[in-house]
Coordinates of all heavy atoms in Angstrom, one line a residue:
I283 N 134.8 87.1 126.3 CA 136.1 87.8 126.5 C 137.2 86.8 126.8 O 138.3 86.8 126.2 CB 136.0 88.8 127.6 CG1 135.1 90.0 127.2 CG2 137.4 89.3 128.1 CD1 135.8 90.9 126.2
D284 N 136.9 85.8 127.6 CA 137.9 84.7 127.9 C 138.3 84.0 126.7 O 139.5 83.7 126.4 CB 137.3 83.7 128.9 CG 137.2 84.3 130.3 OD1 137.8 85.4 130.6 OD2 136.5 83.8 131.2
D285 N 137.3 83.7 125.8 CA 137.6 83.0 124.6 C 138.5 83.8 123.7 O 139.5 83.3 123.1 CB 136.2 82.8 123.9 CG 136.4 82.1 122.5 OD1 137.3 81.3 122.4 OD2 135.6 82.4 121.6
Y286 N 138.3 85.2 123.7 CA 139.2 86.0 122.8 C 140.6 86.2 123.4 O 141.5 86.3 122.7 CB 138.5 87.4 122.7 CG 137.7 87.5 121.4 CD1 136.5 86.9 121.3 CD2 138.2 88.2 120.3 CE1 135.8 86.9 120.1 CE2 137.5 88.2 119.1 CZ 136.3 87.6 119.0 OH 135.6 87.6 117.9
R287 N 140.7 86.1 124.8 CA 142.0 86.2 125.4 C 142.9 85.1 125.0 O 144.1 85.2 124.8 CB 141.9 86.2 126.9 CG 141.5 87.6 127.5 CD 141.7 87.6 129.0 NE 141.1 88.8 129.5 CZ 140.0 88.9 130.3 NH1 139.4 87.8 130.7 NH2 139.6 90.0 130.8
A288 N 142.2 83.9 124.7 CA 142.9 82.7 124.4 C 143.3 82.7 122.9 O 144.2 81.9 122.5 CB 142.1 81.5 124.7
R289 N 142.6 83.5 122.1 CA 142.9 83.5 120.6 C 144.2 84.3 120.3 O 144.4 85.3 121.0 CB 141.8 84.1 119.8 CG 140.5 83.3 119.9 CD 139.5 84.0 119.0 NE 138.2 83.5 119.2 CZ 137.1 83.9 118.5 NH1 137.3 84.8 117.5 NH2 135.9 83.4 118.8
P290 N 144.9 83.9 119.2 CA 146.1 84.6 118.9 C 145.8 86.1 118.6 O 146.5 87.0 119.0 CB 146.6 84.0 117.6 CG 145.8 82.7 117.5 CD 144.7 82.7 118.4
A291 N 144.6 86.4 118.0 CA 144.3 87.8 117.6 C 144.1 88.7 118.9 O 144.4 89.9 118.8 CB 143.0 87.8 116.8
G292 N 143.7 88.0 120.0 CA 143.4 88.8 121.2 C 144.6 89.0 122.1 O 144.6 89.8 123.0
K293 N 145.7 88.3 121.7 CA 146.9 88.2 122.6 C 147.6 89.6 122.8 O 148.0 89.9 123.9 CB 147.9 87.2 122.1 CG 147.5 85.8 122.3 CD 148.3 85.1 123.4 CE 148.1 83.6 123.5 NZ 146.8 83.2 123.9
G294 N 147.7 90.3 121.7 CA 148.4 91.6 121.7 C 147.7 92.7 122.4 O 148.2 93.9 122.5
H295 N 146.4 92.6 122.8 CA 145.6 93.6 123.3 C 145.3 93.4 124.8 O 145.3 92.2 125.2 CB 144.3 93.8 122.5 CG 144.5 94.4 121.2 ND1 145.0 93.7 120.1 CD2 144.2 95.6 120.7 CE1 145.0 94.5 119.1 NE2 144.5 95.7 119.4
Q296 N 144.9 94.4 125.5 CA 144.4 94.2 126.9 C 142.9 94.1 126.8 O 142.3 95.1 126.5 CB 144.8 95.4 127.7 CG 146.3 95.7 127.7 CD 146.6 97.0 128.5 OE1 146.2 97.1 129.7 NE2 147.2 98.0 127.9
L297 N 142.4 93.0 127.2 CA 141.0 92.8 127.1 C 140.4 92.8 128.6 O 140.9 92.0 129.4 CB 140.6 91.5 126.4 CG 141.0 91.4 125.0 CD1 140.6 90.0 124.4 CD2 140.3 92.4 124.2
E320 N 131.1 89.5 119.2 CA 132.3 89.2 118.4 C 132.6 90.2 117.3 O 133.7 90.5 117.1 CB 132.1 87.8 117.8 CG 132.2 86.7 118.9 CD 132.3 85.3 118.3 OE1 132.1 85.1 117.1 OE2 132.6 84.4 119.1
L323 N 134.1 93.2 118.9 CA 135.4 92.9 119.4 C 136.4 92.7 118.2 O 137.5 93.3 118.3 CB 135.4 91.5 120.2 CG 135.2 91.6 121.7 CD1 135.0 90.3 122.3 CD2 136.4 92.3 122.4
D324 N 136.0 92.1 117.2 CA 136.8 91.9 116.0 C 137.2 93.3 115.5 O 138.4 93.5 115.1 CB 136.1 91.1 114.9 CG 136.1 89.6 115.1 OD1 136.9 89.2 115.9 OD2 135.2 89.0 114.6
N325 N 136.3 94.2 115.4 CA 136.6 95.5 114.9 C 137.6 96.2 115.8 O 138.5 96.9 115.4 CB 135.3 96.4 114.8 CG 134.5 96.1 113.6 OD1 135.0 95.4 112.7 ND2 133.3 96.6 113.5
A326 N 137.3 96.1 117.1 CA 138.2 96.8 118.1 C 139.6 96.3 117.9 O 140.6 97.0 117.9 CB 137.7 96.6 119.5
L327 N 139.7 94.9 117.7 CA 141.1 94.4 117.5 C 141.7 94.8 116.2 O 142.9 95.0 116.1 CB 141.0 92.8 117.6 CG 140.6 92.2 119.0 CD1 140.3 90.7 118.9 CD2 141.8 92.4 120.0
K328 N 140.8 94.8 115.2 CA 141.3 95.2 113.8 C 141.8 96.6 113.7 O 142.8 96.9 113.1 CB 140.2 95.0 112.8 CG 140.1 93.6 112.2 CD 139.2 93.6 111.0 CE 137.7 93.8 111.3 NZ 136.8 93.6 110.3
Y329 N 141.0 97.5 114.3 CA 141.3 98.9 114.0 C 142.1 99.7 115.1 O 142.2 100.9 115.1 CB 140.0 99.6 113.7 CG 139.3 99.0 112.5 CD1 138.1 98.3 112.6 CD2 139.9 99.1 111.3 CE1 137.5 97.7 111.5 CE2 139.3 98.5 110.2 CZ 138.1 97.8 110.3 OH 137.5 97.2 109.2
T330 N 142.5 98.9 116.1 CA 143.3 99.6 117.2 C 144.7 99.0 117.1 O 144.9 97.8 116.8 CB 142.7 99.5 118.6 OG1 142.7 98.1 118.9 CG2 141.4 100.0 118.7
P331 N 145.8 99.8 117.5 CA 147.1 99.2 117.4 C 147.3 98.2 118.6 O 146.6 98.2 119.6 CB 148.0 100.4 117.6 CG 147.2 101.5 118.0 CD 145.7 101.2 117.8
K332 N 148.3 97.3 118.4 CA 148.6 96.3 119.5 C 148.8 97.1 120.8 O 149.3 98.2 120.8 CB 149.9 95.6 119.1 CG 149.7 94.6 118.0 CD 149.8 93.2 118.6 CE 149.7 92.0 117.6 NZ 148.5 91.8 116.9
G333 N 148.4 96.4 121.9 CA 148.6 97.0 123.2 C 147.5 97.9 123.6 O 147.4 98.3 124.8
S334 N 146.5 98.1 122.7 CA 145.4 99.0 123.1 C 144.5 98.3 124.1 O 144.5 97.1 124.2 CB 144.5 99.4 121.9 OG 145.3 99.9 120.9
I336 N 140.9 97.3 125.5 CA 139.5 97.1 125.0 C 138.7 96.6 126.2 O 139.0 95.6 126.8 CB 139.5 96.0 123.8 CG1 140.3 96.5 122.7 CG2 138.1 95.7 123.4 CD1 140.6 95.5 121.6
K382 N 142.5 94.1 106.4 CA 142.3 93.4 107.7 C 141.2 92.3 107.5 O 140.8 91.8 108.5 CB 141.8 94.4 108.7 CG 142.8 95.5 109.0 CD 143.7 95.0 110.1 CE 144.8 96.1 110.5 NZ 145.7 95.6 111.4

Side-chain angles (χ1 to χ4, degrees):
I283 288 289
D284 287 344
D285 177 31
Y286 265 73
R287 281 195 188 111
R289 292 187 196 183
K293 288 254 192 291
H295 286 77
Q296 303 173 55
L297 297 178
E320 286 191 351
L323 267 171
D324 283 340
N325 279 350
L327 291 169
K328 268 193 294 190
Y329 300 112
T330 62
K332 285 251 182 292
S334 303
I336 298 170
K382 297 271 179 186

